[in-house]
């Protein structure tokens, strides 16, 4: 038997094709907010590049604003990943667990995720409340950045709770293997 024929007959090498068609529920409000923040970031970085290398004198506020926009894109994008189940997870062990054990572990992961995100919402809110400094290059309170981080955590928490309910109702998780 040739190697190609062997690969075609073994289920480990079966690759399911992704459906690339856009469906009604593919996008949520956080996707559009993150997209806008990303393009504003791209514009600010381009402005910084243009002013530094073409005009020979960098605009002072672009570096600081780009840094904060990158943080905002990261935390708001985290909500997108939470909704799609795209956060990092250790899937390897679920292949070797019994269905019942995998179900318990999946529920435990959901619970820990919700507790962690709840703590992060609380901590980021407290940090924003205690921050009274202004940004260095523009007269904008630095606490605004912490509120954006908190909003990202709130969105992630909402999506994590939705995923947990979905997992608990169906008895399945994206981490569990189809058996």
């Amino acid at each position: 038997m040739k190697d190609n024929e062997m690969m075609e007959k073994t289920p480990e090498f079966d690759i399911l094709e992704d459906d690339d068609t856009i469906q009604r529920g593919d996008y949520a409000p956080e996707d559009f907010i993150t997209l806008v923040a990303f393009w504003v970031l791209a514009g600010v970085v381009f402005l910084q590049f243009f002013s530094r290398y073409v005009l020979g004198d960098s605009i002072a506020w672009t570096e600081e604003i780009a840094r904060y926009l990158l943080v905002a894109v990261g935390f708001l994008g985290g909500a997108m990943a939470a909704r799609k189940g795209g956060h990092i997870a250790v899937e390897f062990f679920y292949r070797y667990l019994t269905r019942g054990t995998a179900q318990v572990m999946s529920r435990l992961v959901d619970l820990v995720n919700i507790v962690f995100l709840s703590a992060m919402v609380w901590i980021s809110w407290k940090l924003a409340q205690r921050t009274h400094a202004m940004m260095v290059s523009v007269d904008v309170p630095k606490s605004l950045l912490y509120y954006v981080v908190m909003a990202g955590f709130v969105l992630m928490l909402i999506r994590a709770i939705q995923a947990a309910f979905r997992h608990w109702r169906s008895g399945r998780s994206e981490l569990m293997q189809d058996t």
Side-chain angles (χ1 to χ4, degrees), residues 77-91 113 159 163 166-167 174-175:
M80 294 168 48
R83 187 184 82 251
K84 294 181 177 185
H87 278 133
I88 259 179
V90 181
E91 299 175 20
N113 193 18
R159 296 304 184 180
R166 186 176 63 248
H167 297 158
E174 292 85 8
L175 297 173

Side-chain angles (χ1 to χ4, degrees), residues 128-174:
Q129 291 290 311
R130 292 181 182 173
T131 302
H132 303 291
M134 301 296 274
M135 292 182 188
V136 174
S137 59
V138 291
D139 278 339
V140 175
K142 201 179 268 189
S143 62
L144 179 66
L145 174 67
Y146 299 126
Y147 284 119
V148 170
V149 169
M150 184 189 77
F153 278 129
V154 166
L155 289 169
M156 282 187 261
L157 177 62
I158 291 168
R159 296 304 184 180
I161 291 169
Q162 289 173 341
F165 279 128
R166 186 176 63 248
H167 297 158
W168 294 347
R169 259 186 286 146
S170 69
R172 305 247 348 114
S173 168
E174 292 85 8

Side-chain angles (χ1 to χ4, degrees), residues 48-154:
Q48 181 182 23
F49 171 82
F50 182 79
S51 66
R52 177 175 289 167
Y53 294 109
V54 175
L55 302 178
D57 188 21
S58 181
I59 299 173
W61 57 266
T62 56
E63 185 176 342
E64 183 179 23
I65 297 302
R67 186 178 325 124
Y68 294 148
L69 283 169
L70 184 61
V71 170
V73 167
F75 282 95
L76 294 172
M80 294 168 48
R83 187 184 82 251
K84 294 181 177 185
H87 278 133
I88 259 179
V90 181
E91 299 175 20
F92 177 76
F93 297 109
Y94 286 89
R95 293 178 184 217
Y96 301 105
L97 297 174
T98 65
R99 180 171 168 78
T101 306
Q103 200 171 24
V104 169
M105 290 299 295
S106 174
R107 289 179 179 176
L108 183 63
V109 165
D110 285 337
L111 185 62
V112 168
N113 193 18
I114 290 169
V115 168
F116 173 76
L117 291 171
S118 299
M120 291 301 101
V121 167
W122 175 256
I123 290 170
S124 58
W125 180 72
K126 293 301 277 184
L127 182 61
Q129 291 290 311
R130 292 181 182 173
T131 302
H132 303 291
M134 301 296 274
M135 292 182 188
V136 174
S137 59
V138 291
D139 278 339
V140 175
K142 201 179 268 189
S143 62
L144 179 66
L145 174 67
Y146 299 126
Y147 284 119
V148 170
V149 169
M150 184 189 77
F153 278 129
V154 166

